[in-house]
Amino acid sequence: MLFGVRRHPRIGCYQQRKWPWKSTSTHATSGISRRSQRLHTSSTKAHIIFSGIQPTGVPHLGNYLGALQQWARLQNEASPSTQLLYSIVDLHAITINQDADQLRRWKRETLATLLAVGLDPERSTIFYQSAVPEHTELMWILSCTASVGHLSRMTQWKSKLALSDEVSALDSTSAKARLKLGLFSYPVLQAADILLYGATHVPVGEDQAQHLEFARQCADQFNTVHGEILVKPQTVLSSAKRVMSLKEPRLKMSKSHQDLRSRIQINDGAEIIGDKIRLALTDSITGVSYDPEHRPGVSNLLAIMSYFDEEGRTAEELAQACKSLSMRQFKATATKAISESLASTRDKYNRIMNHDETHYLDDIATEGSNKARRQADKTMAAVRQVIGLERAGRA
Ligand code: ATP
Ligand code: MG
């Protein structure tokens, strides 16, 4: 068995533990997990958990708190009958122009992050989306029943349209015409990602809730025409629904934002975290208080601290504890709390990235895509059959 026999020469020995970076503490699932949404268990049907992350940069605190930490928790708490699939969705990443070498690097960095947060490739299927061509096949099939009206109401598409108006106020028609088809239709690919595996639960940050609603509609529209084939998934939100940007705290933290100082990456060291927090946009009001409306920058830092807080204190309680600190002292406190909370994930990430000379990550991705394809094949056999597209010699 691929993962059972190989041993990384320098990350560490794993005679007892096959994955040396596998978390031995409960840190990765502490704090936030206590307050995160539990899976709805009234159904006796086996759960299938699916989620994805774009390889558009090193994942940041928002990805970690809003999604990845929850992925690891679900894995660690899942019953043996639960299947878990986590995809690095590289086909989504190319909806904006990407340099090929950088994309390759980001894919590996994202995979290393998934292992560093505690995902175990023997338990969870971890794979690159483009290695499973059934994603794009199902996308096309869903495109033939999905409605354009719903797609054009997607917030992310509307914000791109609004941006094109701003960029080219004089000629917004041609600016809109230059927007790419992939940007418009990627929610159909996202629906295919999920429906391909019969996912029952999809853990995501709040920004993806609308796309999940669209995926459920895609399943309905397909099933109405062809019969009950596709499973409608439930959205699972973490309590850290939306971590905000350090530079523009009314916008969410994003990998693709140009300013690196807007986000804390999971591999940032204490000094870099300190610099980013020192430069974070706050305000000149005296003292510390939690008021997302009027003090979005300070409130964002308090919220992040509360997601990590070992004592489970809320942002309001932390504000109370810090109320008489100066902004400089408060930022130093936030730096210490965040840096210490990320330390074990950061160390595991660095060990994996610095010592991957045995193509460890490639092996994990290959094994994961083989497993994912076997699963995808089952759904596609049923889909092709009801449409009349079954392949000669196959079920
Ligand atoms: P990009 O800017 O390229 O879209 P991203 O930072 O939005 O990158 P994604 O790969 O799109 O990251 O999303 C991966 C997961 O992380 C999704 O479940 C998404 O909802 C979640 N997520 C992303 N940003 C945040 C955030 N700021 N707060 C909470 N969850 C987030
Ligand atoms: Mg995103």
Short mmCIF file of all heavy atoms in Angstrom, two decimals, residues 54 56 63 156 186 207-208 252 254-256, ligand 2:
data_model
loop_
_atom_site.label_atom_id
_atom_site.label_comp_id
_atom_site.label_asym_id
_atom_site.label_seq_id
_atom_site.Cartn_x
_atom_site.Cartn_y
_atom_site.Cartn_z
N GLN A 54 -9.09 26.65 -3.70
CA GLN A 54 -8.37 27.02 -4.93
C GLN A 54 -6.87 27.17 -4.65
O GLN A 54 -6.51 27.79 -3.65
CB GLN A 54 -8.86 28.36 -5.45
CG GLN A 54 -10.31 28.40 -5.81
CD GLN A 54 -10.61 29.70 -6.55
OE1 GLN A 54 -10.16 29.91 -7.67
NE2 GLN A 54 -11.37 30.57 -5.92
N THR A 56 -4.65 29.30 -5.24
CA THR A 56 -4.39 30.67 -5.71
C THR A 56 -3.43 31.39 -4.76
O THR A 56 -3.37 32.63 -4.77
CB THR A 56 -5.70 31.46 -5.85
OG1 THR A 56 -6.55 31.16 -4.73
CG2 THR A 56 -6.43 31.11 -7.13
N ASN A 63 -9.12 31.04 5.36
CA ASN A 63 -9.27 29.66 4.86
C ASN A 63 -9.18 28.67 6.02
O ASN A 63 -9.95 27.72 6.11
CB ASN A 63 -8.17 29.30 3.85
CG ASN A 63 -8.12 30.22 2.66
OD1 ASN A 63 -7.04 30.68 2.27
ND2 ASN A 63 -9.27 30.50 2.06
N GLN A 156 -20.73 37.10 -6.75
CA GLN A 156 -19.36 37.28 -7.23
C GLN A 156 -19.33 37.74 -8.68
O GLN A 156 -18.51 38.54 -9.09
CB GLN A 156 -18.57 35.98 -7.05
CG GLN A 156 -18.35 35.70 -5.58
CD GLN A 156 -17.25 34.70 -5.30
OE1 GLN A 156 -16.48 34.34 -6.18
NE2 GLN A 156 -17.17 34.24 -4.06
N TYR A 186 -18.37 29.35 -13.63
CA TYR A 186 -17.68 28.45 -12.69
C TYR A 186 -18.57 27.90 -11.58
O TYR A 186 -18.31 26.79 -11.09
CB TYR A 186 -16.39 29.09 -12.15
CG TYR A 186 -16.57 30.02 -10.99
CD1 TYR A 186 -16.55 29.55 -9.68
CD2 TYR A 186 -16.76 31.38 -11.18
CE1 TYR A 186 -16.73 30.41 -8.61
CE2 TYR A 186 -16.93 32.24 -10.12
CZ TYR A 186 -16.92 31.75 -8.84
OH TYR A 186 -17.10 32.60 -7.79
N ASP A 207 -18.92 32.93 2.20
CA ASP A 207 -18.92 33.45 0.82
C ASP A 207 -19.36 32.40 -0.19
O ASP A 207 -19.74 32.74 -1.31
CB ASP A 207 -17.54 34.00 0.44
CG ASP A 207 -16.45 32.94 0.48
OD1 ASP A 207 -16.36 32.21 1.49
OD2 ASP A 207 -15.70 32.81 -0.51
N GLN A 208 -19.32 31.12 0.21
CA GLN A 208 -19.69 30.07 -0.73
C GLN A 208 -21.14 29.60 -0.58
O GLN A 208 -21.60 28.74 -1.33
CB GLN A 208 -18.75 28.86 -0.57
CG GLN A 208 -17.31 29.17 -0.93
CD GLN A 208 -17.19 29.71 -2.35
OE1 GLN A 208 -17.86 29.22 -3.26
NE2 GLN A 208 -16.37 30.72 -2.55
N LYS A 252 -13.72 40.57 2.84
CA LYS A 252 -13.18 39.33 3.42
C LYS A 252 -11.70 39.16 3.06
O LYS A 252 -11.24 39.68 2.04
CB LYS A 252 -14.00 38.12 2.95
CG LYS A 252 -13.59 37.54 1.64
CD LYS A 252 -14.20 36.17 1.44
CE LYS A 252 -13.59 35.49 0.23
NZ LYS A 252 -12.24 34.97 0.43
N SER A 254 -8.68 37.41 1.47
CA SER A 254 -8.66 36.58 0.26
C SER A 254 -7.24 36.27 -0.17
O SER A 254 -6.37 37.14 -0.07
CB SER A 254 -9.31 37.33 -0.92
OG SER A 254 -10.68 37.15 -0.89
N LYS A 255 -7.05 35.07 -0.73
CA LYS A 255 -5.73 34.70 -1.26
C LYS A 255 -5.37 35.55 -2.46
O LYS A 255 -4.21 35.82 -2.72
CB LYS A 255 -5.76 33.24 -1.74
CG LYS A 255 -5.44 32.22 -0.69
CD LYS A 255 -5.39 30.86 -1.33
CE LYS A 255 -6.65 30.07 -1.09
NZ LYS A 255 -7.59 30.03 -2.17
N SER A 256 -6.39 35.91 -3.25
CA SER A 256 -6.09 36.57 -4.52
C SER A 256 -5.98 38.10 -4.39
O SER A 256 -5.76 38.76 -5.39
CB SER A 256 -7.16 36.20 -5.55
OG SER A 256 -8.42 36.52 -5.05
MG MG B 2 -12.63 32.52 -2.91
#
